[in-house]
Amino acid sequence: MSSSNPRIGWYGLGSMGLGMSLNLQKHLRENNLSPLLYSNRTLSKGDILRDEGAMPKERFEDVVQSTDVIFTMARPIHYNIISTDDVLIDLLNKALVAGDALKGKIFVDTSTIHPDTSEWARSHLKEYGATLIAAPVFGASAVAAAGKLIFAVSGPATAVETIRPFIMNTMGRSIIDMGEDVRKSSLLKISGNVLVISFMEAIAEAQVFAEVTGIGNQQLEEFIGNMFGPVLESYSKRITTGAYAPPLDTSPGFAAALASKDMKHALSIAASHGIRLPTLEVASSRLASAREYAGECLDSSAIYGAGRMEAGLSFWSENSRQGN
């Protein structure tokens, strides 16, 4: 592998992966580098990527065989059928069949997985001379499309330096260096999600309070934006616009099932260290209630709908969909 011009592969073209891979292909093209090779469960989702000059491959194994650095953004097949961790394990088991042909290859996983899964991947790839870099990202799909994600990166320093140009000012605005222990990146991402979901729980509670007391959702949202800035205001907008329960033919921004999975990871890790995360416990319970009542086409902000029901209101707001 040429450290200055490695061949780059990609797997995973969901709402995050498509924006990330498009930015990566743009970088490769502008720097006269070899085009991105990509694959996906549904290959047609990459048509726009192909139109930008990237090259489709039918199978993940084909991408691995033909490239030096392989980025993955694993997503579940269906909300309740398979977890992100299982998707990544399945992909790597397919890659591991190549055996010694993996020597020197770098796998960069950008999804949110349990630290134990990161370590499993690292150790299995190492058996054949390949390297894992754990690089989960912070930011929603719009941030991915803008190339402004934050990457939490861990793995061997030389491998991190190899991939840095394909992240900085390409897919991301910053890299948080977590050292060589791949578990640490996963732990930071899960810690970040504790904050994100806790913010959403607090905002949902405040918005229900505003509704039942007559303050007004829009006035509270204006205060949130003025006081805490655009990020927390955007969380509030997922509630007030009804995006917490989108139309059944529209994918949620951060699926409730994925948020529940992330909370399960966080709560189990906390319990193993003898601590509690009370806010997350409440959010997890409310999101479970929301999914039981309204199905799986829900955003993580659907904890607001559960909070509405606890307050004697309808789960559905005037801006959300109305039922299933």
Side-chain angles (χ1 to χ4, degrees), residues 18 25 28 37 43 79 85 100 104 116 118 124 150 152-153 175 197 203 215 225 242 248 289:
L18 185 57
Q25 168 57 22
L28 296 173
L37 275 63
L43 200 58
Y79 293 124
D85 297 61
D100 292 337
D116 291 347
S118 294
H124 280 72
I150 299 170
V153 174
I175 292 175
I197 296 169
I203 292 170
I215 295 172
L248 293 173
S289 296

Side-chain angles (χ1 to χ4, degrees), residues 82-141:
I82 189 168
S83 75
T84 306
D85 297 61
D86 292 333
V87 174
L88 180 65
I89 290 170
D90 181 61
L91 286 174
L92 291 185
N93 277 328
K94 292 176 180 177
L96 291 169
V97 173
D100 292 337
L102 296 178
K103 186 174 181 179
K105 294 183 185 291
I106 300 172
F107 290 76
V108 187
D109 183 58
T110 63
S111 57
T112 303
I113 56 176
H114 194 282
D116 291 347
T117 305
S118 294
E119 176 56 29
W120 176 92
R122 183 205 66 80
S123 62
H124 280 72
L125 287 170
K126 185 179 180 181
E127 290 179 17
Y128 298 103
T131 299
L132 174 74
I133 294 178
V137 298
F138 294 94
S141 55

